[in-house]
mmCIF file of all heavy atoms in Angstrom:
data_model
loop_
_atom_site.group_PDB
_atom_site.id
_atom_site.type_symbol
_atom_site.label_atom_id
_atom_site.label_comp_id
_atom_site.label_asym_id
_atom_site.label_seq_id
_atom_site.Cartn_x
_atom_site.Cartn_y
_atom_site.Cartn_z
ATOM 1 N N LEU N 183 12.548 61.023 6.337
ATOM 2 C CA LEU N 183 12.025 60.916 4.978
ATOM 3 C C LEU N 183 10.529 61.239 4.961
ATOM 4 O O LEU N 183 9.852 61.133 5.980
ATOM 5 C CB LEU N 183 12.237 59.501 4.432
ATOM 6 C CG LEU N 183 13.673 59.006 4.291
ATOM 7 C CD1 LEU N 183 13.678 57.522 3.908
ATOM 8 C CD2 LEU N 183 14.440 59.820 3.259
ATOM 9 N N ARG N 184 10.047 61.576 3.790
ATOM 10 C CA ARG N 184 8.616 61.727 3.628
ATOM 11 C C ARG N 184 7.956 60.368 3.787
ATOM 12 O O ARG N 184 8.587 59.328 3.587
ATOM 13 C CB ARG N 184 8.293 62.310 2.255
ATOM 14 C CG ARG N 184 8.763 63.744 2.047
ATOM 15 C CD ARG N 184 8.425 64.203 0.643
ATOM 16 N NE ARG N 184 9.035 63.336 -0.374
ATOM 17 C CZ ARG N 184 8.854 63.471 -1.680
ATOM 18 N NH1 ARG N 184 8.046 64.453 -2.133
ATOM 19 N NH2 ARG N 184 9.435 62.670 -2.529
ATOM 20 N N ALA N 185 6.671 60.369 4.137
ATOM 21 C CA ALA N 185 5.968 59.112 4.412
ATOM 22 C C ALA N 185 6.049 58.146 3.232
ATOM 23 O O ALA N 185 6.301 56.948 3.405
ATOM 24 C CB ALA N 185 4.515 59.394 4.768
ATOM 25 N N THR N 186 5.880 58.658 2.011
ATOM 26 C CA THR N 186 5.918 57.784 0.835
ATOM 27 C C THR N 186 7.315 57.209 0.605
ATOM 28 O O THR N 186 7.468 56.071 0.152
ATOM 29 C CB THR N 186 5.469 58.553 -0.418
ATOM 30 O OG1 THR N 186 6.242 59.762 -0.526
ATOM 31 C CG2 THR N 186 3.994 58.904 -0.333
ATOM 32 N N ASP N 187 8.354 57.979 0.901
ATOM 33 C CA ASP N 187 9.725 57.503 0.710
ATOM 34 C C ASP N 187 10.148 56.543 1.817
ATOM 35 O O ASP N 187 11.057 55.713 1.625
ATOM 36 C CB ASP N 187 10.692 58.692 0.671
ATOM 37 C CG ASP N 187 10.445 59.598 -0.522
ATOM 38 O OD1 ASP N 187 9.998 59.080 -1.569
ATOM 39 O OD2 ASP N 187 10.684 60.814 -0.417
ATOM 40 N N ALA N 188 9.509 56.651 2.985
ATOM 41 C CA ALA N 188 9.888 55.795 4.110
ATOM 42 C C ALA N 188 9.247 54.413 4.035
ATOM 43 O O ALA N 188 9.721 53.466 4.689
ATOM 44 C CB ALA N 188 9.496 56.462 5.426
ATOM 45 N N ARG N 189 8.219 54.243 3.238
ATOM 46 C CA ARG N 189 7.479 52.981 3.195
ATOM 47 C C ARG N 189 8.339 51.768 2.868
ATOM 48 O O ARG N 189 8.194 50.712 3.489
ATOM 49 C CB ARG N 189 6.319 53.087 2.200
ATOM 50 C CG ARG N 189 5.183 53.982 2.667
ATOM 51 C CD ARG N 189 4.086 54.070 1.615
ATOM 52 N NE ARG N 189 3.426 52.802 1.414
ATOM 53 C CZ ARG N 189 2.405 52.371 2.153
ATOM 54 N NH1 ARG N 189 1.961 53.110 3.152
ATOM 55 N NH2 ARG N 189 1.835 51.216 1.903
ATOM 56 N N PRO N 190 9.286 51.834 1.899
ATOM 57 C CA PRO N 190 10.092 50.645 1.602
ATOM 58 C C PRO N 190 10.934 50.164 2.781
ATOM 59 O O PRO N 190 11.399 49.017 2.786
ATOM 60 C CB PRO N 190 10.985 51.109 0.441
ATOM 61 C CG PRO N 190 10.249 52.244 -0.182
ATOM 62 C CD PRO N 190 9.584 52.938 0.959
ATOM 63 N N TYR N 191 11.135 51.030 3.770
ATOM 64 C CA TYR N 191 11.965 50.661 4.919
ATOM 65 C C TYR N 191 11.131 50.171 6.111
ATOM 66 O O TYR N 191 11.675 49.900 7.173
ATOM 67 C CB TYR N 191 12.801 51.865 5.368
ATOM 68 C CG TYR N 191 13.708 52.398 4.295
ATOM 69 C CD1 TYR N 191 13.312 53.462 3.485
ATOM 70 C CD2 TYR N 191 14.962 51.829 4.071
ATOM 71 C CE1 TYR N 191 14.139 53.953 2.493
ATOM 72 C CE2 TYR N 191 15.791 52.310 3.073
ATOM 73 C CZ TYR N 191 15.377 53.373 2.284
ATOM 74 O OH TYR N 191 16.191 53.858 1.292
ATOM 75 N N MET N 192 9.828 50.073 5.920
ATOM 76 C CA MET N 192 8.942 49.726 7.028
ATOM 77 C C MET N 192 8.461 48.287 6.985
ATOM 78 O O MET N 192 7.491 47.915 7.651
ATOM 79 C CB MET N 192 7.741 50.681 7.047
ATOM 80 C CG MET N 192 8.133 52.130 7.292
ATOM 81 S SD MET N 192 6.736 53.265 7.121
ATOM 82 C CE MET N 192 5.724 52.779 8.512
ATOM 83 N N GLY N 193 9.130 47.447 6.182
ATOM 84 C CA GLY N 193 8.808 46.023 6.155
ATOM 85 C C GLY N 193 7.380 45.740 5.752
ATOM 86 O O GLY N 193 6.823 46.357 4.846
ATOM 87 N N ALA N 194 6.752 44.777 6.470
ATOM 88 C CA ALA N 194 5.393 44.360 6.138
ATOM 89 C C ALA N 194 4.402 45.508 6.273
ATOM 90 O O ALA N 194 3.433 45.593 5.515
ATOM 91 C CB ALA N 194 4.980 43.196 7.035
ATOM 92 N N LEU N 195 4.636 46.391 7.231
ATOM 93 C CA LEU N 195 3.744 47.531 7.411
ATOM 94 C C LEU N 195 3.766 48.433 6.179
ATOM 95 O O LEU N 195 2.741 48.925 5.729
ATOM 96 C CB LEU N 195 4.149 48.324 8.651
ATOM 97 C CG LEU N 195 3.201 49.447 9.083
ATOM 98 C CD1 LEU N 195 1.837 48.876 9.427
ATOM 99 C CD2 LEU N 195 3.780 50.196 10.284
ATOM 100 N N GLY N 196 4.947 48.621 5.605
ATOM 101 C CA GLY N 196 5.074 49.436 4.410
ATOM 102 C C GLY N 196 4.420 48.805 3.191
ATOM 103 O O GLY N 196 4.084 49.501 2.236
ATOM 104 N N MET N 197 4.255 47.467 3.236
ATOM 105 C CA MET N 197 3.612 46.750 2.134
ATOM 106 C C MET N 197 2.113 46.588 2.353
ATOM 107 O O MET N 197 1.445 45.868 1.618
ATOM 108 C CB MET N 197 4.253 45.369 1.975
ATOM 109 C CG MET N 197 5.717 45.412 1.566
ATOM 110 S SD MET N 197 5.965 46.161 -0.054
ATOM 111 C CE MET N 197 5.202 44.944 -1.104
ATOM 112 N N ASP N 198 1.586 47.246 3.388
ATOM 113 C CA ASP N 198 0.152 47.177 3.705
ATOM 114 C C ASP N 198 -0.303 45.765 4.042
ATOM 115 O O ASP N 198 -1.438 45.375 3.752
ATOM 116 C CB ASP N 198 -0.707 47.731 2.555
ATOM 117 C CG ASP N 198 -0.731 49.252 2.557
ATOM 118 O OD1 ASP N 198 -0.607 49.837 3.643
ATOM 119 O OD2 ASP N 198 -0.881 49.843 1.475
ATOM 120 N N ASN N 199 0.581 44.981 4.660
ATOM 121 C CA ASN N 199 0.178 43.660 5.142
ATOM 122 C C ASN N 199 -0.863 43.857 6.242
ATOM 123 O O ASN N 199 -0.576 44.479 7.261
ATOM 124 C CB ASN N 199 1.397 42.921 5.698
ATOM 125 C CG ASN N 199 1.078 41.498 6.110
ATOM 126 O OD1 ASN N 199 0.013 41.223 6.633
ATOM 127 N ND2 ASN N 199 2.014 40.602 5.875
ATOM 128 N N PRO N 200 -2.084 43.337 6.067
ATOM 129 C CA PRO N 200 -3.144 43.598 7.055
ATOM 130 C C PRO N 200 -2.827 43.055 8.442
ATOM 131 O O PRO N 200 -3.344 43.560 9.436
ATOM 132 C CB PRO N 200 -4.373 42.907 6.456
ATOM 133 C CG PRO N 200 -3.824 41.909 5.495
ATOM 134 C CD PRO N 200 -2.562 42.507 4.958
ATOM 135 N N VAL N 201 -1.995 42.032 8.523
ATOM 136 C CA VAL N 201 -1.641 41.467 9.829
ATOM 137 C C VAL N 201 -0.716 42.401 10.594
ATOM 138 O O VAL N 201 -0.664 42.377 11.821
ATOM 139 C CB VAL N 201 -0.984 40.085 9.655
ATOM 140 C CG1 VAL N 201 -0.663 39.460 10.995
ATOM 141 C CG2 VAL N 201 -1.902 39.154 8.864
ATOM 142 N N SER N 202 0.012 43.256 9.886
ATOM 143 C CA SER N 202 0.987 44.140 10.518
ATOM 144 C C SER N 202 0.406 45.486 10.926
ATOM 145 O O SER N 202 1.054 46.232 11.654
ATOM 146 C CB SER N 202 2.167 44.372 9.564
ATOM 147 O OG SER N 202 2.800 43.156 9.244
ATOM 148 N N HIS N 203 -0.779 45.788 10.473
ATOM 149 C CA HIS N 203 -1.386 47.076 10.811
ATOM 150 C C HIS N 203 -1.743 47.127 12.288
ATOM 151 O O HIS N 203 -1.918 46.097 12.946
ATOM 152 C CB HIS N 203 -2.636 47.322 9.965
ATOM 153 C CG HIS N 203 -2.333 47.812 8.583
ATOM 154 N ND1 HIS N 203 -1.818 49.061 8.336
ATOM 155 C CD2 HIS N 203 -2.446 47.208 7.375
ATOM 156 C CE1 HIS N 203 -1.642 49.217 7.038
ATOM 157 N NE2 HIS N 203 -2.012 48.105 6.430
#
Side-chain angles (χ1 to χ4, degrees):
L183 298 173
R184 293 178 302 177
T186 53
D187 295 329
R189 289 178 66 86
Y191 301 95
M192 297 173 67
L195 188 61
M197 295 297 292
D198 281 331
N199 185 323
V201 182
S202 300
H203 280 291

